[in-house]
Amino acid sequence: MVLIAMDLAFQFLLFVIWGSAAIRISRSKKRPSIRPWSHLVLQSVGLLLTAGKIVTLSILGSRDWLFVKDTLAVHFLLLGVPAAAVTIYTIPWLRKLASATSTDAAPHTDHFPAAALPVQAAGVGASLDFVLTLLFPMKSLNVGIFTLVAIIYAAWAGTLWRLRKQKPAKRSRAVRITVGMLLVLVSVTSWFVLSSQVSKLSDRMSMMAGEEDYGGGPSMAGHDMSHGHVGMASTSSSASGASFVSVEDLKGPRNGEPDRRLTLTAEKKTVTLNSGATIEAWTYNGQLPGPELRVTQGELVEVTLINKDIEEGVTIHWHGQDVPNGEDGVSGVTQDAVMPGQTYTYRFIAKQSGSYWYHSHQQSSEQVKNGLFGTLIVLPKEGLATGTEDITVMDPTYKTVGDSEVNLLNPIDHRTVKPGTPVRLRLFNTGNWPKKFSIAGVKFKVAAIDGTDLNEPAELTNVRLDLAAGGRYDITFTMPNTPVYVSTDPSSGLLLSADGKGSVPEVKNASVFDPLTYGSPKETPFGAASKFDRSFTMVFDNKLGFYDGGFERLFTINGDVFPNTPMFMVREGDLVKTTFVNRSLVPHPMHLHGHHMLVLSRNGKPSTGSPWWVDTLNVDPGESYEVAFKADNPGLWMDHCHNLEHAAIGMTLHMSYEGVTSPFEIGHATQNRPE
Ligand code: C2O
Ligand code: CU
């Protein structure tokens, strides 16, 4: 985080300092005869900042080459070259001038334009580099080279102008300035209008519209047939013999008596919170959060979704359960949003035990915030240790009327647990940002992450648990005689005690839990040394730009937002590696639907603890991660940031299996808004 912030700060300061140095030297008509020292100071600061930028880039680059790969050439041309010229030519020239005792000893004034040029180039270069960083995080190379040529021409023309003996007439100067400003104004305005128009989502589009990225693996015969032309070929086959299957045919068991039959009704409801406050919520079954669904591993679960009165339509996505694609509940990808009065039935076998959750994947940033989510607990076939107190701890925040956020755990919730009882706390983060959980008053183990048990977890005490948005940690311990406190902030939490009373033990966190080194290794079906069929890269940047016509601070994947993000193409059976690199200023919890990813390394350091499987991985600013997964669940899957606000402005992409088609569409003319 510090590195990324420093890098951006250097970029900004370089723009300010070189900009001022350039303006200052350009104003000194013929020669900086007055106070050459002030020029020297400004330029030295510029050079120091350039050095600082080089240092931060080298640190990031040694962490992962992807941090700098695409921008290095631009920085070199726009910052490096002018800085070198200033060092070699301008600074010595100014020093000679400063130390000259008489006019005669001073360097000849005819040389002034040559000395000023590098500084002017540095000013223009730093400004351009700054603008490129903000607007074109990843495509800056081409634009950079183009603009560099423009700078050279401009500087050259400027020098020629300055070398002319006669001073330009006042009026012509005013005219030139006006024309120049008009030109700038017109080009900036047209850029804004154009990019705003271009960014508008079309009325109807297939989620499969992205540009294919084969990740270095073989491309697929007839893949362009799979381009979501409506009603296309759920059973046809291409010339090469590859057959197509529609997401509608990738369902859970259609027949057979379900082991669990559940109904979830989406409806608006006024809900009273623990704190006594009431809020207008969007609920499943009138509850906030929705009812906890408890099933047993291996059971066939049938859930009927009824939409009573959510006008925008709803769905249910089973976050972390790797269900068949047709049951994944993403509007516009695997189904149409379920509109008021309509119903939809999901059927799947709960294959993985552990802590999962469900939420609407229609207009999800709004709907999850308003309450359309709940927990899904899949108990292992063999059950939990006898007598286990199995407790769900959620830390959701809700939008209330007036936009202030209300915490469900507020105020402190008391619960009676007999000393000696085995306790399992299921921590959920259903919000958009990482949550810091503290467990005070007991030694505990992190038994599972995102539903998967860890191997030989060690006991922890005074360790803070930073939970990814969308992620889950299961904590286990034996209830002591004294109270135990779980919280995300001092004023709200859950207090477990023998008598349901007692005082809150002191929260002291000496360190932060790190899954990379926690527990002990165990054999996995694949690992860092495996041969991968495909490797994908996702580099995240900040960018100012447009999404669907609105100007936003965007978070880009490989320089762009949906629908201009790539479409990852895989073939069933592929072993796939993905690298995440976060060059933006905020964390991004990356969630892949339908698969669990094995973390291989972070910042180049291999995972040495228990196998660490995730469905949602928090990638902090300045961090890089390598993960791997097996392509064993055919379909069309979302891969997106689970900060749902980020997803809503395009931080999403899709992964498609060879030959999978979808008849569903998104866009303003459809009811589907997956984000
Ligand atoms: Cu929990 Cu695509 O989301
Ligand atoms: Cu994000």
Side-chain angles (χ1 to χ4, degrees):
M1 171 67 201
V2 178
L3 275 176
I4 297 284
M6 265 170 54
D7 186 49
L8 195 65
F10 277 131
Q11 190 89 49
F12 174 70
L13 290 173
L14 280 164
F15 156 67
V16 173
I17 296 297
W18 281 128
S20 336
I23 290 172
R24 186 162 172 79
I25 208 155
S26 307
R27 277 196 171 163
S28 319
K29 286 283 181 273
K30 282 245 177 273
R31 46 181 280 188
S33 47
I34 332 136
R35 294 191 300 247
W37 282 110
S38 67
H39 291 276
L40 277 172
V41 168
L42 260 183
Q43 290 166 28
S44 310
V45 174
L47 290 176
L48 276 177
L49 289 170
T50 311
K53 175 90 184 166
I54 292 172
V55 171
T56 45
L57 285 178
S58 333
I59 299 174
L60 283 168
S62 65
R63 183 170 286 183
D64 196 310
W65 180 234
L66 288 169
F67 274 108
V68 295
K69 186 181 157 211
D70 57 310
T71 53
L72 215 52
V74 179
H75 292 321
F76 175 73
L77 291 172
L78 295 180
L79 299 174
V81 175
V86 168
T87 317
I88 294 165
Y89 196 87
T90 314
I91 299 257
W93 192 84
L94 283 168
R95 287 188 54 181
K96 233 201 257 166
L97 183 73
S99 55
T101 43
S102 69
T103 335
D104 293 346
H108 200 278
T109 52
D110 282 356
H111 294 165
F112 173 60
L117 190 64
V119 186
Q120 290 160 339
V124 179
S127 317
L128 274 169
D129 204 351
F130 183 57
V131 172
L132 290 177
T133 305
L134 293 185
L135 300 180
F136 308 96
M138 217 157 177
K139 292 183 197 134
S140 35
L141 188 60
N142 296 334
V143 192
I145 284 172
F146 172 77
T147 40
L148 182 81
V149 175
I151 304 164
I152 293 169
Y153 271 97
W156 174 68
T159 313
L160 281 187
W161 183 263
R162 240 166 245 110
L163 283 176
R164 280 166 45 154
K165 287 280 179 280
Q166 76 274 35
K167 253 184 136 185
K170 277 258 154 53
R171 184 179 300 154
S172 85
R173 183 150 188 249
V175 169
R176 273 187 307 122
I177 290 175
T178 318
V179 168
M181 276 170 53
L182 271 176
L183 271 178
V184 170
L185 203 74
V186 167
S187 33
V188 169
T189 322
S190 30
W191 179 79
F192 260 77
V193 173
L194 261 175
S195 344
S196 160
Q197 287 305 322
V198 166
S199 81
K200 288 226 171 95
L201 294 179
S202 39
D203 279 351
R204 285 187 173 278
M205 65 182 296
S206 163
M207 276 298 216
M208 315 182 68
E211 192 184 319
E212 294 90 350
D213 178 346
Y214 292 97
S219 65
M220 290 136 195
H223 68 265
D224 47 346
M225 276 190 73
S226 66
H227 258 213
H229 305 298
V230 189
M232 186 98 195
S234 66
T235 51
S236 79
S237 49
S238 76
S240 71
S243 56
F244 291 94
V245 57
S246 163
V247 296
E248 285 189 293
D249 296 326
L250 296 167
K251 294 274 192 183
R254 287 286 89 185
N255 310 308
E257 207 29 46
D259 301 296
R260 302 274 169 163
R261 191 171 265 141
L262 307 157
T263 303
L264 290 175
T265 304
E267 58 182 315
K268 293 189 177 149
K269 200 97 196 188
T270 308
V271 180
T272 308
L273 302 176
N274 295 0
S275 60
T278 61
I279 65 170
E280 288 301 322
W282 297 359
T283 69
Y284 288 115
N285 293 2
Q287 284 167 252
L288 188 60
E292 178 159 286
L293 310 182
R294 283 192 167 250
V295 305
T296 301
Q297 188 180 15
E299 284 183 333
L300 173 58
V301 181
E302 181 183 293
V303 180
T304 304
L305 166 64
I306 303 171
N307 183 358
K308 195 170 152 205
D309 57 4
I310 308 294
E311 288 107 38
E312 290 78 5
V314 293
T315 68
I316 305 175
H317 165 60
W318 312 100
H319 184 119
Q321 267 292 317
D322 299 333
V323 298
N325 189 235
E327 313 290 348
D328 199 40
V330 182
S331 70
V333 180
T334 63
Q335 66 173 93
D336 281 325
V338 179
M339 304 312 280
Q342 296 182 335
T343 66
Y344 190 92
T345 304
Y346 299 93
R347 284 169 68 100
F348 59 89
I349 290 169
K351 286 205 185 119
Q352 303 140 282
S353 67
S355 305
Y356 301 92
W357 60 300
Y358 64 90
H359 61 82
S360 179
H361 221 304
Q362 160 77 349
Q363 213 198 18
S364 33
S365 66
E366 277 295 303
Q367 299 203 349
V368 173
K369 193 166 62 183
N370 281 303
L372 283 170
F373 69 92
T375 53
L376 167 65
I377 311 296
V378 182
L379 294 166
K381 274 197 194 100
E382 62 279 11
L384 299 174
T386 28
T388 299
E389 275 282 352
D390 191 358
I391 304 170
T392 298
V393 182
M394 298 179 88
D395 187 60
T397 45
Y398 298 98
K399 199 173 98 185
T400 54
V401 189
D403 234 23
S404 62
E405 294 203 311
V406 176
N407 192 324
L408 252 206
L409 288 176
N410 199 7
I412 292 165
D413 201 6
H414 292 262
R415 186 155 172 156
T416 310
V417 179
K418 232 174 77 228
T421 313
V423 178
R424 187 174 199 100
L425 291 181
R426 301 176 187 268
L427 311 183
F428 283 81
N429 182 357
T430 60
N432 283 334
W433 298 98
K435 291 264 159 65
K436 301 174 177 26
F437 282 88
S438 303
I439 318 279
V442 73
K443 284 199 176 110
F444 62 92
K445 291 176 181 173
V446 178
I449 296 179
D450 286 3
T452 310
D453 286 341
L454 296 183
N455 187 44
E456 296 176 357
E459 272 197 335
L460 300 170
T461 141
N462 298 334
V463 173
R464 193 182 78 202
L465 303 169
D466 291 2
L467 185 51
R472 291 87 60 210
Y473 283 159
D474 285 16
I475 305 304
T476 55
F477 56 86
T478 304
M479 184 63 197
N481 296 319
T482 47
V484 174
Y485 187 55
V486 194
S487 63
T488 53
D489 77 76
S491 61
S492 70
L494 176 67
L495 187 72
L496 310 179
S497 61
D499 54 2
K501 295 196 273 281
S503 56
V504 172
E506 196 195 342
V507 175
K508 29 184 196 264
N509 289 320
S511 59
V512 177
F513 173 62
D514 184 4
L516 198 72
T517 53
Y518 182 69
S520 38
K522 196 179 143 186
E523 232 199 302
T524 46
F526 47 85
S530 302
K531 206 186 140 297
F532 293 96
D533 301 296
R534 298 175 200 275
S535 305
F536 298 113
T537 300
M538 293 166 97
V539 177
F540 314 130
D541 283 294
N542 313 290
K543 165 179 161 168
L544 295 177
F546 291 88
Y547 182 73
D548 200 12
F551 191 72
E552 309 264 3
R553 177 186 174 199
L554 301 174
F555 297 100
T556 58
I557 303 175
N558 299 348
D560 233 320
V561 288
F562 182 82
N564 302 316
T565 44
M567 168 99 162
F568 290 163
M569 303 296 294
V570 298
R571 186 175 277 176
E572 189 169 1
D574 280 348
L575 197 55
V576 184
K577 180 156 104 175
T578 304
T579 305
F580 301 112
V581 174
N582 187 355
R583 303 196 297 195
S584 80
L585 286 164
V586 296
H588 299 294
M590 297 310 295
H591 173 47
L592 173 63
H593 286 211
H595 302 76
H596 272 70
M597 309 176 273
L598 177 66
V599 177
L600 304 176
S601 71
R602 180 182 62 216
N603 299 339
K605 285 189 209 77
S607 161
T608 54
S610 158
W612 176 16
W613 294 91
V614 291
D615 52 58
T616 317
L617 180 65
N618 185 67
V619 185
D620 271 330
E623 277 187 344
S624 71
Y625 272 98
E626 283 179 317
V627 301
F629 63 91
K630 180 96 177 164
D632 56 3
N633 196 3
L636 177 55
W637 300 100
M638 291 203 74
D639 192 351
H640 64 96
C641 179
H642 218 283
N643 181 324
L644 297 174
E645 306 279 344
H646 295 178
I649 48 172
M651 200 175 177
T652 71
L653 58 75
H654 298 84
M655 180 174 84
S656 177
Y657 279 65
E658 176 177 31
V660 173
T661 65
S662 169
F664 304 106
E665 291 181 303
I666 61 157
H668 298 297
T670 72
Q671 77 252 47
N672 299 324
R673 309 217 190 315
E675 310 311 336

PDB file of all heavy atoms in Angstrom, residues 317-320 328 330 357 359 361 364 470 591 593 616 638 640 642 644 675, ligand 1:
ATOM      1  N   HIS A 317     -27.324 -16.379  -6.111  1.00  0.00           N
ATOM      2  CA  HIS A 317     -26.020 -16.954  -6.450  1.00  0.00           C
ATOM      3  C   HIS A 317     -25.493 -17.637  -5.200  1.00  0.00           C
ATOM      4  O   HIS A 317     -25.574 -17.093  -4.104  1.00  0.00           O
ATOM      5  CB  HIS A 317     -25.076 -15.829  -6.903  1.00  0.00           C
ATOM      6  CG  HIS A 317     -23.629 -16.234  -6.925  1.00  0.00           C
ATOM      7  ND1 HIS A 317     -23.177 -17.265  -7.715  1.00  0.00           N
ATOM      8  CD2 HIS A 317     -22.548 -15.752  -6.253  1.00  0.00           C
ATOM      9  CE1 HIS A 317     -21.860 -17.389  -7.521  1.00  0.00           C
ATOM     10  NE2 HIS A 317     -21.462 -16.495  -6.642  1.00  0.00           N
ATOM     11  N   TRP A 318     -24.954 -18.858  -5.356  1.00  0.00           N
ATOM     12  CA  TRP A 318     -24.475 -19.652  -4.221  1.00  0.00           C
ATOM     13  C   TRP A 318     -22.984 -19.421  -4.090  1.00  0.00           C
ATOM     14  O   TRP A 318     -22.184 -20.180  -4.619  1.00  0.00           O
ATOM     15  CB  TRP A 318     -24.821 -21.125  -4.439  1.00  0.00           C
ATOM     16  CG  TRP A 318     -26.256 -21.260  -4.842  1.00  0.00           C
ATOM     17  CD1 TRP A 318     -26.751 -21.429  -6.096  1.00  0.00           C
ATOM     18  CD2 TRP A 318     -27.385 -21.166  -3.970  1.00  0.00           C
ATOM     19  NE1 TRP A 318     -28.119 -21.454  -6.072  1.00  0.00           N
ATOM     20  CE2 TRP A 318     -28.545 -21.295  -4.773  1.00  0.00           C
ATOM     21  CE3 TRP A 318     -27.548 -20.984  -2.589  1.00  0.00           C
ATOM     22  CZ2 TRP A 318     -29.833 -21.234  -4.236  1.00  0.00           C
ATOM     23  CZ3 TRP A 318     -28.828 -20.934  -2.062  1.00  0.00           C
ATOM     24  CH2 TRP A 318     -29.944 -21.058  -2.881  1.00  0.00           C
ATOM     25  N   HIS A 319     -22.628 -18.365  -3.379  1.00  0.00           N
ATOM     26  CA  HIS A 319     -21.240 -17.909  -3.328  1.00  0.00           C
ATOM     27  C   HIS A 319     -20.329 -18.954  -2.681  1.00  0.00           C
ATOM     28  O   HIS A 319     -20.438 -19.230  -1.492  1.00  0.00           O
ATOM     29  CB  HIS A 319     -21.179 -16.577  -2.570  1.00  0.00           C
ATOM     30  CG  HIS A 319     -19.813 -15.969  -2.543  1.00  0.00           C
ATOM     31  ND1 HIS A 319     -19.534 -14.729  -3.084  1.00  0.00           N
ATOM     32  CD2 HIS A 319     -18.647 -16.424  -2.048  1.00  0.00           C
ATOM     33  CE1 HIS A 319     -18.257 -14.465  -2.913  1.00  0.00           C
ATOM     34  NE2 HIS A 319     -17.690 -15.476  -2.284  1.00  0.00           N
ATOM     35  N   GLY A 320     -19.425 -19.510  -3.475  1.00  0.00           N
ATOM     36  CA  GLY A 320     -18.436 -20.460  -2.961  1.00  0.00           C
ATOM     37  C   GLY A 320     -18.799 -21.915  -3.173  1.00  0.00           C
ATOM     38  O   GLY A 320     -17.922 -22.767  -3.153  1.00  0.00           O
ATOM     39  N   ASP A 328     -25.969 -21.223 -11.178  1.00  0.00           N
ATOM     40  CA  ASP A 328     -25.076 -20.235 -10.566  1.00  0.00           C
ATOM     41  C   ASP A 328     -25.775 -18.918 -10.234  1.00  0.00           C
ATOM     42  O   ASP A 328     -25.253 -18.102  -9.489  1.00  0.00           O
ATOM     43  CB  ASP A 328     -23.869 -19.988 -11.474  1.00  0.00           C
ATOM     44  CG  ASP A 328     -22.699 -19.356 -10.737  1.00  0.00           C
ATOM     45  OD1 ASP A 328     -22.445 -19.768  -9.580  1.00  0.00           O
ATOM     46  OD2 ASP A 328     -22.051 -18.453 -11.289  1.00  0.00           O
ATOM     47  N   VAL A 330     -26.569 -16.072 -11.962  1.00  0.00           N
ATOM     48  CA  VAL A 330     -26.117 -14.745 -12.404  1.00  0.00           C
ATOM     49  C   VAL A 330     -27.026 -14.276 -13.540  1.00  0.00           C
ATOM     50  O   VAL A 330     -27.079 -14.900 -14.596  1.00  0.00           O
ATOM     51  CB  VAL A 330     -24.651 -14.781 -12.880  1.00  0.00           C
ATOM     52  CG1 VAL A 330     -24.196 -13.394 -13.284  1.00  0.00           C
ATOM     53  CG2 VAL A 330     -23.754 -15.353 -11.794  1.00  0.00           C
ATOM     54  N   TRP A 357     -22.236 -18.673   1.371  1.00  0.00           N
ATOM     55  CA  TRP A 357     -23.362 -17.747   1.495  1.00  0.00           C
ATOM     56  C   TRP A 357     -24.086 -17.620   0.175  1.00  0.00           C
ATOM     57  O   TRP A 357     -23.662 -18.180  -0.835  1.00  0.00           O
ATOM     58  CB  TRP A 357     -22.948 -16.426   2.099  1.00  0.00           C
ATOM     59  CG  TRP A 357     -21.912 -15.556   1.413  1.00  0.00           C
ATOM     60  CD1 TRP A 357     -20.621 -15.892   1.124  1.00  0.00           C
ATOM     61  CD2 TRP A 357     -22.070 -14.197   0.997  1.00  0.00           C
ATOM     62  NE1 TRP A 357     -19.972 -14.820   0.559  1.00  0.00           N
ATOM     63  CE2 TRP A 357     -20.831 -13.760   0.463  1.00  0.00           C
ATOM     64  CE3 TRP A 357     -23.127 -13.288   1.031  1.00  0.00           C
ATOM     65  CZ2 TRP A 357     -20.640 -12.466  -0.033  1.00  0.00           C
ATOM     66  CZ3 TRP A 357     -22.923 -11.995   0.541  1.00  0.00           C
ATOM     67  CH2 TRP A 357     -21.702 -11.600   0.016  1.00  0.00           C
ATOM     68  N   HIS A 359     -26.514 -14.837  -2.294  1.00  0.00           N
ATOM     69  CA  HIS A 359     -26.962 -13.450  -2.477  1.00  0.00           C
ATOM     70  C   HIS A 359     -27.506 -13.256  -3.868  1.00  0.00           C
ATOM     71  O   HIS A 359     -27.237 -14.054  -4.770  1.00  0.00           O
ATOM     72  CB  HIS A 359     -25.836 -12.451  -2.181  1.00  0.00           C
ATOM     73  CG  HIS A 359     -24.616 -12.560  -3.057  1.00  0.00           C
ATOM     74  ND1 HIS A 359     -24.544 -12.001  -4.306  1.00  0.00           N
ATOM     75  CD2 HIS A 359     -23.405 -13.148  -2.847  1.00  0.00           C
ATOM     76  CE1 HIS A 359     -23.338 -12.229  -4.827  1.00  0.00           C
ATOM     77  NE2 HIS A 359     -22.627 -12.942  -3.962  1.00  0.00           N
ATOM     78  N   HIS A 361     -27.649 -11.960  -7.483  1.00  0.00           N
ATOM     79  CA  HIS A 361     -26.642 -11.512  -8.453  1.00  0.00           C
ATOM     80  C   HIS A 361     -27.313 -10.732  -9.567  1.00  0.00           C
ATOM     81  O   HIS A 361     -26.948 -10.807 -10.735  1.00  0.00           O
ATOM     82  CB  HIS A 361     -25.835 -12.680  -9.010  1.00  0.00           C
ATOM     83  CG  HIS A 361     -24.367 -12.380  -9.150  1.00  0.00           C
ATOM     84  ND1 HIS A 361     -23.896 -11.313  -9.878  1.00  0.00           N
ATOM     85  CD2 HIS A 361     -23.275 -12.977  -8.625  1.00  0.00           C
ATOM     86  CE1 HIS A 361     -22.565 -11.292  -9.806  1.00  0.00           C
ATOM     87  NE2 HIS A 361     -22.164 -12.286  -9.041  1.00  0.00           N
ATOM     88  N   SER A 364     -26.300  -6.433  -8.059  1.00  0.00           N
ATOM     89  CA  SER A 364     -25.859  -6.926  -6.753  1.00  0.00           C
ATOM     90  C   SER A 364     -25.335  -5.865  -5.796  1.00  0.00           C
ATOM     91  O   SER A 364     -25.535  -5.988  -4.596  1.00  0.00           O
ATOM     92  CB  SER A 364     -24.863  -8.078  -6.886  1.00  0.00           C
ATOM     93  OG  SER A 364     -24.057  -7.944  -8.010  1.00  0.00           O
ATOM     94  N   GLY A 470     -16.456 -10.878   1.111  1.00  0.00           N
ATOM     95  CA  GLY A 470     -16.975 -12.087   0.467  1.00  0.00           C
ATOM     96  C   GLY A 470     -16.402 -13.372   1.036  1.00  0.00           C
ATOM     97  O   GLY A 470     -16.902 -14.451   0.758  1.00  0.00           O
ATOM     98  N   HIS A 591     -13.058 -12.742  -6.881  1.00  0.00           N
ATOM     99  CA  HIS A 591     -13.941 -13.901  -6.718  1.00  0.00           C
ATOM    100  C   HIS A 591     -14.153 -14.588  -8.059  1.00  0.00           C
ATOM    101  O   HIS A 591     -14.630 -13.966  -9.002  1.00  0.00           O
ATOM    102  CB  HIS A 591     -15.282 -13.431  -6.146  1.00  0.00           C
ATOM    103  CG  HIS A 591     -16.331 -14.506  -6.076  1.00  0.00           C
ATOM    104  ND1 HIS A 591     -16.079 -15.759  -5.565  1.00  0.00           N
ATOM    105  CD2 HIS A 591     -17.636 -14.514  -6.433  1.00  0.00           C
ATOM    106  CE1 HIS A 591     -17.194 -16.485  -5.626  1.00  0.00           C
ATOM    107  NE2 HIS A 591     -18.147 -15.747  -6.155  1.00  0.00           N
ATOM    108  N   HIS A 593     -16.229 -17.525  -9.859  1.00  0.00           N
ATOM    109  CA  HIS A 593     -17.392 -18.387  -9.678  1.00  0.00           C
ATOM    110  C   HIS A 593     -17.058 -19.829 -10.092  1.00  0.00           C
ATOM    111  O   HIS A 593     -16.252 -20.046 -11.001  1.00  0.00           O
ATOM    112  CB  HIS A 593     -18.552 -17.913 -10.559  1.00  0.00           C
ATOM    113  CG  HIS A 593     -19.234 -16.677 -10.075  1.00  0.00           C
ATOM    114  ND1 HIS A 593     -20.562 -16.436 -10.286  1.00  0.00           N
ATOM    115  CD2 HIS A 593     -18.786 -15.615  -9.385  1.00  0.00           C
ATOM    116  CE1 HIS A 593     -20.896 -15.272  -9.758  1.00  0.00           C
ATOM    117  NE2 HIS A 593     -19.835 -14.740  -9.203  1.00  0.00           N
ATOM    118  N   THR A 616     -12.565 -16.365  -2.811  1.00  0.00           N
ATOM    119  CA  THR A 616     -12.460 -14.916  -2.833  1.00  0.00           C
ATOM    120  C   THR A 616     -11.127 -14.547  -2.203  1.00  0.00           C
ATOM    121  O   THR A 616     -10.901 -14.824  -1.025  1.00  0.00           O
ATOM    122  CB  THR A 616     -13.618 -14.284  -2.029  1.00  0.00           C
ATOM    123  OG1 THR A 616     -14.825 -14.979  -2.344  1.00  0.00           O
ATOM    124  CG2 THR A 616     -13.775 -12.816  -2.351  1.00  0.00           C
ATOM    125  N   MET A 638     -18.429 -15.950 -14.022  1.00  0.00           N
ATOM    126  CA  MET A 638     -17.933 -14.606 -13.727  1.00  0.00           C
ATOM    127  C   MET A 638     -16.660 -14.711 -12.908  1.00  0.00           C
ATOM    128  O   MET A 638     -16.481 -15.629 -12.121  1.00  0.00           O
ATOM    129  CB  MET A 638     -18.961 -13.816 -12.917  1.00  0.00           C
ATOM    130  CG  MET A 638     -20.188 -13.474 -13.700  1.00  0.00           C
ATOM    131  SD  MET A 638     -21.006 -12.040 -12.980  1.00  0.00           S
ATOM    132  CE  MET A 638     -19.908 -10.751 -13.484  1.00  0.00           C
ATOM    133  N   HIS A 640     -14.735 -11.702 -10.805  1.00  0.00           N
ATOM    134  CA  HIS A 640     -14.884 -10.259 -10.590  1.00  0.00           C
ATOM    135  C   HIS A 640     -14.431  -9.820  -9.214  1.00  0.00           C
ATOM    136  O   HIS A 640     -14.179 -10.644  -8.333  1.00  0.00           O
ATOM    137  CB  HIS A 640     -16.346  -9.836 -10.802  1.00  0.00           C
ATOM    138  CG  HIS A 640     -17.323 -10.436  -9.827  1.00  0.00           C
ATOM    139  ND1 HIS A 640     -17.741  -9.783  -8.698  1.00  0.00           N
ATOM    140  CD2 HIS A 640     -17.961 -11.630  -9.822  1.00  0.00           C
ATOM    141  CE1 HIS A 640     -18.612 -10.539  -8.046  1.00  0.00           C
ATOM    142  NE2 HIS A 640     -18.758 -11.682  -8.705  1.00  0.00           N
ATOM    143  N   HIS A 642     -15.129  -8.550  -5.662  1.00  0.00           N
ATOM    144  CA  HIS A 642     -16.306  -8.662  -4.796  1.00  0.00           C
ATOM    145  C   HIS A 642     -16.506  -7.428  -3.936  1.00  0.00           C
ATOM    146  O   HIS A 642     -17.334  -7.417  -3.023  1.00  0.00           O
ATOM    147  CB  HIS A 642     -16.277  -9.928  -3.936  1.00  0.00           C
ATOM    148  CG  HIS A 642     -17.635 -10.537  -3.782  1.00  0.00           C
ATOM    149  ND1 HIS A 642     -18.581 -10.022  -2.918  1.00  0.00           N
ATOM    150  CD2 HIS A 642     -18.229 -11.575  -4.407  1.00  0.00           C
ATOM    151  CE1 HIS A 642     -19.677 -10.748  -3.006  1.00  0.00           C
ATOM    152  NE2 HIS A 642     -19.492 -11.697  -3.913  1.00  0.00           N
ATOM    153  N   LEU A 644     -18.552  -4.948  -4.414  1.00  0.00           N
ATOM    154  CA  LEU A 644     -19.597  -4.930  -5.437  1.00  0.00           C
ATOM    155  C   LEU A 644     -19.760  -3.556  -6.075  1.00  0.00           C
ATOM    156  O   LEU A 644     -20.256  -3.437  -7.190  1.00  0.00           O
ATOM    157  CB  LEU A 644     -20.909  -5.444  -4.842  1.00  0.00           C
ATOM    158  CG  LEU A 644     -20.828  -6.909  -4.370  1.00  0.00           C
ATOM    159  CD1 LEU A 644     -22.104  -7.322  -3.645  1.00  0.00           C
ATOM    160  CD2 LEU A 644     -20.562  -7.856  -5.527  1.00  0.00           C
ATOM    161  N   GLU A 675     -24.559  -6.804 -12.126  1.00  0.00           N
ATOM    162  CA  GLU A 675     -23.833  -6.091 -11.068  1.00  0.00           C
ATOM    163  C   GLU A 675     -24.735  -5.188 -10.269  1.00  0.00           C
ATOM    164  O   GLU A 675     -24.316  -4.349  -9.557  1.00  0.00           O
ATOM    165  CB  GLU A 675     -22.673  -5.284 -11.661  1.00  0.00           C
ATOM    166  CG  GLU A 675     -21.790  -6.081 -12.586  1.00  0.00           C
ATOM    167  CD  GLU A 675     -21.360  -7.402 -11.986  1.00  0.00           C
ATOM    168  OE1 GLU A 675     -21.341  -7.517 -10.745  1.00  0.00           O
ATOM    169  OE2 GLU A 675     -21.057  -8.315 -12.763  1.00  0.00           O
TER     170      GLU A 675
HETATM  171 CU1  C2O B   1     -20.641 -13.371  -4.342  1.00  0.00          CU
HETATM  172 CU2  C2O B   1     -20.259 -12.902  -8.362  1.00  0.00          CU
HETATM  173  O1  C2O B   1     -20.469 -13.078  -6.349  1.00  0.00           O
END
